[in-house]
Amino acid sequence: MSRKIRYVLIYLFLSIAAFISVFPFYWMVVGSTNTSLDVNKGKLTFGNQFFVNIQNLINNFDLGQVFWNSIQISFFVVILSVVASSMAGYGFELYKSKGMKYVYGGTLLTLMVPFAALMVPVFRLMTYLNLIDSLWGVILPMIPSVFLVFFFKQNFQTYPREIIMAARVDGASELRIFFSIVMPSIKATYAAAAIYSFLTSWNAYLQPLVIIQSQKKRTMALFIANLASGYKPDFGLVMTAVVVATVPALILFFMLQRYFVQGVLGSVKQ
């Protein structure tokens, strides 16, 4: 096979893969501008119903409160999860001990446990803490992230030890070293971790479903699921709600995109 034919096949495959990846997003945006009947018919061109659908969402549902609930949950999960996971990854990498590798290995094994297996224990724990039907009942179980601990540990493997040793010689405490020297120097890693943590908490469905019981505390994921599960759902409204739910993730990604690739590469470049 000549090089020219090989390149043609590669670009053809990549074009098909790109189309498959982009088409659901395109259909979502197009669907938000059409009526439910048009969406059911499979209309793939833009309509003029977007602002009508937005107005219906605002007037008929408490969209602002639902959106604010999700923003609060994601904000606290991102801040607390990223800080806690980075400290854990830093500790696993820099403070070696005889049984540390076994503790770390056991921690990684918990990645194999699905949340469905933890729903009942989490529910009982939140009941004991009197956090059922509260946003903190959703936030607290989402703070520990074994994947982020692994992600930060991988990045710390390439961090210059000389900087840390010099700070210790100068008399800086371990917390001062971490918060004043280490954290500011790995912004790309924190940006990538923040995007991952935000998407995980923003799109969470099972966790809020188990904890949240009132309409006022619903998240965007629960709100969209309720819209789509009615006897006769309005798919125009559903698509519009999905577009609204997608906007914060897009804004965060575009704000941090220049750091994102650097942070991901830092975790695999070993």
Side-chain angles (χ1 to χ4, degrees):
M1 183 183 296
S2 67
R3 179 178 295 182
K4 186 175 182 180
I5 296 176
R6 186 166 67 248
Y7 279 139
V8 169
L9 292 176
I10 290 173
Y11 281 113
L12 178 62
F13 172 77
L14 292 177
S15 299
I16 293 173
F19 174 78
I20 293 173
S21 301
V22 173
F23 179 76
F25 183 80
Y26 170 79
W27 189 48
M28 173 190 71
V29 175
V30 168
S32 68
T33 66
N34 290 307
T35 64
S36 182
L37 183 61
D38 291 331
V39 175
N40 281 327
K41 287 181 178 178
K43 182 181 176 183
L44 296 178
T45 56
F46 287 95
N48 57 0
Q49 297 295 306
F50 179 76
F51 292 105
V52 175
N53 290 334
I54 285 287
Q55 188 175 8
N56 288 335
L57 277 177
I58 295 174
N59 293 339
N60 299 328
F61 304 95
D62 199 0
L63 181 62
Q65 183 62 50
V66 171
F67 194 83
W68 177 238
N69 291 340
S70 292
I71 288 290
Q72 291 182 79
I73 290 172
S74 297
F75 174 80
F76 286 110
V77 169
V78 168
I79 298 299
L80 297 175
S81 181
V82 167
V83 172
S85 299
S86 61
M87 294 182 73
Y90 180 81
F92 276 125
E93 181 56 33
L94 269 76
Y95 302 112
K96 301 294 184 181
S97 64
K98 197 171 184 180
M100 183 66 74
K101 64 179 181 179
Y102 300 108
V103 175
Y104 180 65
T107 302
L108 291 183
L109 284 176
T110 61
L111 284 171
M112 301 172 62
V113 182
F115 178 74
L118 302 175
M119 283 194 299
V120 174
V122 168
F123 181 81
R124 293 190 63 180
L125 178 61
M126 293 303 106
T127 302
Y128 177 77
L129 297 175
N130 198 27
L131 292 176
I132 293 297
D133 199 30
S134 72
L135 298 185
W136 281 103
V138 179
I139 293 169
L140 289 180
M142 297 180 69
I143 293 174
S145 174
V146 177
F147 173 78
L148 286 183
V149 172
F150 166 78
F151 179 74
F152 277 106
K153 183 179 183 300
Q154 292 297 104
N155 276 273
F156 286 132
Q157 287 181 7
T158 58
Y159 192 83
R161 300 295 192 274
E162 295 81 7
I163 297 176
I164 298 174
M165 295 303 297
R168 288 173 178 169
V169 170
D170 288 340
S173 65
E174 294 300 316
L175 287 177
R176 176 75 181 275
I177 293 172
F178 181 78
F179 286 107
S180 300
I181 298 175
V182 176
M183 283 185 69
S185 62
I186 56 170
K187 293 178 181 177
T189 303
Y190 277 95
I195 292 174
Y196 170 82
S197 182
F198 178 84
L199 292 176
T200 301
S201 56
W202 185 263
N203 295 324
Y205 177 72
L206 273 180
Q207 178 81 9
L209 182 65
V210 172
I211 302 300
I212 301 301
Q213 297 180 348
S214 63
Q215 297 292 316
K216 284 187 176 182
K217 301 292 178 62
R218 287 184 301 175
T219 62
M220 285 299 297
L222 294 180
F223 174 68
I224 292 171
N226 289 340
L227 276 181
S229 62
Y231 178 73
K232 191 178 180 182
D234 187 327
F235 291 107
L237 289 183
V238 173
M239 292 294 190
T240 305
V242 174
V243 169
V244 172
T246 306
V247 170
L250 290 177
I251 292 174
L252 181 66
F253 178 78
F254 285 122
M255 286 174 57
L256 303 178
Q257 64 175 328
R258 69 190 181 110
Y259 299 111
F260 180 72
V261 176
Q262 299 175 27
V264 173
L265 289 177
S267 69
V268 297
K269 202 185 296 182
Q270 305 299 335

